[in-house]
Amino acid sequence: MAGDTVLAVLLGLVDLLLFVADQFTELPELPPWYVAVPIIVAMVAPLVFRRKSPLWSAYVVLVISIVHATLMLGIGSAAGLAMSIYSVVVYAGRRQGLIFVGAVIVSSAVQLALEPPDEELVIAILFLAFGIALCWTLGEFVGARRAYDVEVEARLHLLETERDQATRIAVAEERGRIARELHDVVAHAVSVMVVQADGASYAIESNPELAQRALQTISETGRGALGELRRLLDVLRSDDADGEPRVPQPDAHAIADLADRMRTAGVPVELEADDLGDLPAGVSLGIYRIVQESLTNTLKHAGRGATASVRVHRTGDLVEVLVSDDGAGRVPQLAGSAQRLPGGNGLIGMRERAHVYGGTLDVGPAPGGGWQVRAALPVRLDK
């Protein structure tokens, strides 16, 4: 409305200047200023609302233009009608535009019929037809462009919604997989406890020392299982996975075998790993999966000749994992690195694995060039 206000003010000033100039000519007598000025203002004022209320504004302009044109107060009536035709076609639609153009033609025909016939009548009719055609054409073009923009915006919104939905589905599926893996861990812990309890019951009289060690094992395993159960309740989903085959899950100690397999696949891997000692099974599995997904991304995206390095260090109760490569993620190759920006389902899975155990995950270009995945997982031996 600010731009339309400026436009209306400029058009009103033009009419006022023409009115003042006509006072010094020998034209037929003009109305007094206290009549002309309000009509000029009323002529341009509805144009301020031509986008917000196109039909109301257009028909008010049409009614006032009859008086404005009859008193010959300037170009406001012709310009106002032209802008109104354009606005109705663009903002109200083709059907309303046809109705308004019909009203303009009828009004103009009546005004021309009331004037005495002369040579300027044909020129006036041609000018009217050309003006209507020009305004209609501009309105059709801009209206089509607006409809196209609205459609593009709607499709982009739909794509964003679908992307968010796909992300949520991926998160749900990955959490379901994590829940099934934790189920295997807990089932293993419970089995160990049962076996140790049976052994302790047999040895409690004949070999008390053996029974004591069995009970200690049961205690440690039970604490670990309770910790896994707490995490399991956070990610467990309602889908039934009982029909899926159960297989042993790898742990952090299997990273060396994973590095060997990646070397066989053609990616030289430099491995530097501390002795991680006894880690909770879920944390150990999460470390393994993060390294596995990172090296898989290196194999898929880094390109030929890329090398990777894996560093796993434990400092107190924190395990830090750094997987980096010197492939297509390097800074000068922005086109290659764009494909490796965060957002894939593999990265969603790594993030979920890290967050489930209270850890963090950072992914992006390495400071010296290349691509890196940095994770930190706390070691929590629940007591």
Side-chain angles (χ1 to χ4, degrees):
M1 292 179 64
D4 291 334
T5 301
V6 174
L7 190 62
V9 170
L10 292 177
L11 185 59
L13 289 176
V14 171
D15 276 358
L16 289 175
L17 291 176
L18 291 176
F19 176 75
V20 172
D22 288 342
Q23 302 295 323
F24 303 96
T25 63
E26 296 180 356
L27 291 176
E29 184 178 355
L30 295 173
W33 68 268
Y34 52 83
V35 174
V37 171
I39 293 176
I40 292 175
V41 173
M43 182 72 247
V44 300
L47 298 177
V48 176
F49 307 94
R50 68 183 186 90
R51 300 173 196 262
K52 188 175 181 180
S53 303
L55 291 178
W56 172 86
S57 171
Y59 284 103
V60 171
V61 167
L62 176 61
V63 172
I64 300 177
S65 67
I66 298 174
V67 180
H68 187 280
T70 301
L71 297 178
M72 295 182 294
L73 294 177
I75 63 173
S77 55
L81 286 175
M83 294 171 60
S84 297
I85 293 174
Y86 165 84
S87 301
V88 171
V89 174
V90 173
Y91 302 106
R94 187 180 291 113
R95 183 172 178 272
Q96 295 294 338
L98 286 173
I99 296 175
F100 181 71
V101 166
V104 171
I105 292 175
V106 171
S107 173
S108 301
V110 171
Q111 293 182 65
L112 293 175
L114 295 177
E115 295 182 0
D118 54 12
E119 298 178 353
E120 296 182 356
L121 180 61
V122 177
I123 298 176
I125 294 175
L126 293 176
F127 179 78
L128 176 64
F130 175 77
I132 292 175
L134 178 61
C135 295
W136 184 277
T137 302
L138 290 175
E140 285 282 354
F141 177 79
V142 176
R145 172 57 63 178
R146 283 174 53 85
Y148 174 78
D149 291 341
V150 170
E151 180 67 18
V152 169
E153 183 178 356
R155 292 194 178 189
L156 287 175
H157 179 70
L158 179 61
L159 288 175
E160 290 178 357
T161 302
E162 291 178 351
R163 182 192 62 189
D164 294 341
Q165 200 123 27
T167 301
R168 287 194 293 269
I169 292 173
V171 169
E173 291 178 350
E174 187 60 32
R175 286 180 175 176
R177 286 192 289 269
I178 295 172
R180 291 192 289 271
E181 291 171 355
L182 292 176
H183 177 275
D184 292 341
V185 173
V186 173
H188 170 74
V190 172
S191 299
V192 171
M193 292 169 63
V194 171
V195 171
Q196 294 293 324
D198 289 343
S201 66
Y202 288 115
I204 192 169
E205 294 181 357
S206 61
N207 193 342
E209 184 178 352
L210 179 60
Q212 184 179 2
R213 288 200 301 269
L215 291 174
Q216 184 179 359
T217 302
I218 291 173
S219 177
E220 293 175 353
T221 306
R223 290 191 183 96
L226 284 175
E228 300 297 338
L229 279 173
R230 292 191 187 99
R231 300 184 186 100
L232 175 62
L233 292 175
D234 291 335
V235 297
L236 190 60
R237 290 297 179 262
S238 60
D239 54 318
D240 187 12
D242 291 340
E244 297 188 7
R246 301 293 181 184
V247 296
Q249 296 291 344
D251 56 15
H253 300 288
I255 292 177
D257 295 334
L258 175 63
D260 290 336
R261 291 199 299 271
M262 295 301 294
R263 295 187 189 103
T264 304
V267 178
V269 179
E270 177 186 355
L271 177 61
E272 180 181 334
D274 294 342
D275 183 10
L276 299 177
D278 295 327
L279 292 175
V283 175
S284 185
L285 175 60
I287 293 172
Y288 178 88
R289 294 301 189 198
I290 289 173
V291 174
Q292 183 185 46
E293 182 65 27
S294 302
L295 292 178
T296 301
N297 285 337
T298 297
L299 181 64
K300 290 165 58 178
H301 302 297
R304 294 184 178 181
T307 61
S309 66
V310 179
R311 290 175 172 80
V312 183
H313 298 293
R314 178 174 179 176
T315 305
D317 290 338
L318 186 68
V319 178
E320 295 182 342
V321 180
L322 176 63
V323 183
S324 59
D325 63 62
D326 58 356
R330 59 173 60 93
V331 176
Q333 300 183 11
L334 293 179
S337 64
Q339 298 178 355
R340 307 175 65 190
L341 290 176
N345 290 347
L347 179 59
I348 292 173
M350 287 193 291
R351 282 202 176 117
E352 288 298 317
R353 291 183 185 277
H355 293 166
V356 140
Y357 296 100
T360 60
L361 182 80
D362 294 318
V363 181
W371 199 258
Q372 71 175 14
V373 176
R374 184 186 299 272
L377 281 77
V379 179
R380 295 180 180 177
L381 297 175
D382 294 319
K383 300 181 180 180

